[in-house]
Amino acid sequence: MKRPAITLLFILCIATLVHAGSPLVSRADSAYTADSFKEAAALYRQAIEEEGPSAKLYYNLGNACYRLGENGNAIIAYERALRLDPTDEDARFNLEFVNSRITDRAGERGTFIGNALDAFSATMLSDTWAWIAFACFALTLAGVMLYLFVGDVTLRKVGFFGGIVTFLISGVALFFASRSAAIAMSDDAAVITAPSTILSTAPRQPRDRSQEAMLLHEGTKVTILDSVRTTTDSIPSTWYDVQVDNTHRAWINASAVEKI
């Protein structure tokens, strides 16, 4: 079935809130439907702070931020929604849409195999992968018991070979559960929220054009590799050593980005 336009998704998302009934979220919903997107975004943030994060709240926060023209904040919200629920296709669809509208086009990130494994691990929640691993391990134990204590040769073969298969599946599921959880808990990804920023070849403001590494714009995603705290004219600041893609790496002022 063809997906609806993103504008329709923005409207329909209100009906799917998991915090339905919350007075705070109801106020946010009303503000959103009244096109008071700034108020709606503030109320969704307040709901996340006071009532706890959820994929749907971040999803709707992303919608409100997009309507405000804050593509960077919208991308952060959708990314956080997908960390909580990587199976949320609406959040993934809207994230891809907003990413298509930002200025910068980063090159290849990661490796083909790594990206493929990450994509497959995102097909289910880490808890779901863990339950699959547990269930298969239980079947493995059942197969061992069948092999050891049943006299029928056919059943013993079923227990032996079935136990091997379920043990392998259990290991694979445990691997993807770990990978999915690691992605959700990682703190090295960030998104540029400033309209534009010049990255430097050193952890300080570029002093001339030779120290300017590149110009990036709002919404670009980067990976934080290291951080350094510096002081210039008695003013402290934090700089991140970031990787934009597989071939571009530079320093960026921490005030220009927000961690996912």
Side-chain angles (χ1 to χ4, degrees):
M1 182 176 67
K2 186 177 180 180
R3 297 193 63 83
I6 190 169
T7 53
L8 181 59
L9 287 176
F10 285 161
I11 296 172
L12 294 179
C13 71
I14 301 301
T16 61
L17 283 169
V18 295
H19 289 267
S22 164
L24 187 57
V25 174
S26 296
R27 287 169 54 199
D29 297 349
S30 298
Y32 186 92
T33 54
D35 291 347
S36 299
F37 303 118
K38 186 174 182 179
E39 180 184 0
L43 289 171
Y44 284 131
R45 288 191 174 100
Q46 185 179 350
I48 291 169
E49 179 69 24
E50 296 181 4
E51 301 175 10
S54 74
K56 287 301 179 183
L57 280 178
Y58 275 125
Y59 170 68
N60 283 278
L61 173 60
N63 295 342
C65 289
Y66 173 77
R67 289 302 187 94
L68 289 170
E70 300 174 359
N71 287 347
N73 287 328
I75 290 172
I76 291 170
Y78 292 138
E79 290 276 7
R80 288 173 177 171
L82 288 170
R83 286 193 173 195
L84 292 172
D85 182 6
T87 65
D88 190 334
E89 291 301 323
D90 290 337
R92 192 173 302 280
F93 177 81
N94 285 9
L95 175 61
E96 292 175 357
F97 176 84
V98 179
N99 275 327
S100 71
R101 299 177 68 87
I102 64 176
T103 302
D104 302 318
R105 292 289 177 266
E108 184 179 354
R109 293 186 175 119
T111 63
F112 175 79
I113 294 177
N115 293 336
L117 291 174
D118 288 344
F120 189 70
S121 68
T123 58
M124 286 185 284
L125 297 171
S126 59
D127 287 350
T128 303
W129 282 115
W131 277 111
I132 291 175
F134 175 79
C136 288
F137 186 72
L139 290 174
T140 300
L141 293 179
V144 172
M145 299 293 288
L146 197 65
Y147 176 76
L148 292 176
F149 300 107
V150 174
D152 186 85
V153 176
T154 301
L155 291 178
R156 292 187 67 190
K157 288 182 177 179
V158 170
F160 180 78
F161 292 107
I164 292 176
V165 171
T166 54
F167 180 76
L168 292 175
I169 295 175
S170 176
V172 171
L174 190 62
F175 169 80
F176 283 114
S178 175
R179 197 174 186 96
S180 179
I183 293 173
M185 299 297 292
S186 65
D187 63 350
D188 62 348
V191 174
I192 294 177
T193 53
S196 64
T197 184
I198 297 177
L199 278 69
S200 176
T201 58
R204 61 174 180 267
Q205 200 67 29
R207 296 172 181 172
D208 52 51
R209 293 185 63 88
S210 65
Q211 296 182 358
E212 295 179 1
M214 67 191 80
L215 173 67
L216 293 179
H217 301 82
E218 181 181 9
T220 303
K221 186 177 179 180
V222 297
T223 301
I224 299 173
L225 304 176
D226 196 5
S227 64
V228 172
R229 188 166 179 82
T230 62
T231 301
T232 303
D233 297 329
S234 301
I235 300 175
S237 61
T238 300
W239 287 79
Y240 291 141
D241 179 12
V242 299
Q243 187 168 1
V244 181
D245 51 37
N246 290 347
T247 57
H248 294 90
R249 177 177 174 178
W251 292 88
I252 188 171
N253 194 304
S255 62
V257 301
E258 182 175 344
K259 288 185 177 181
I260 297 173

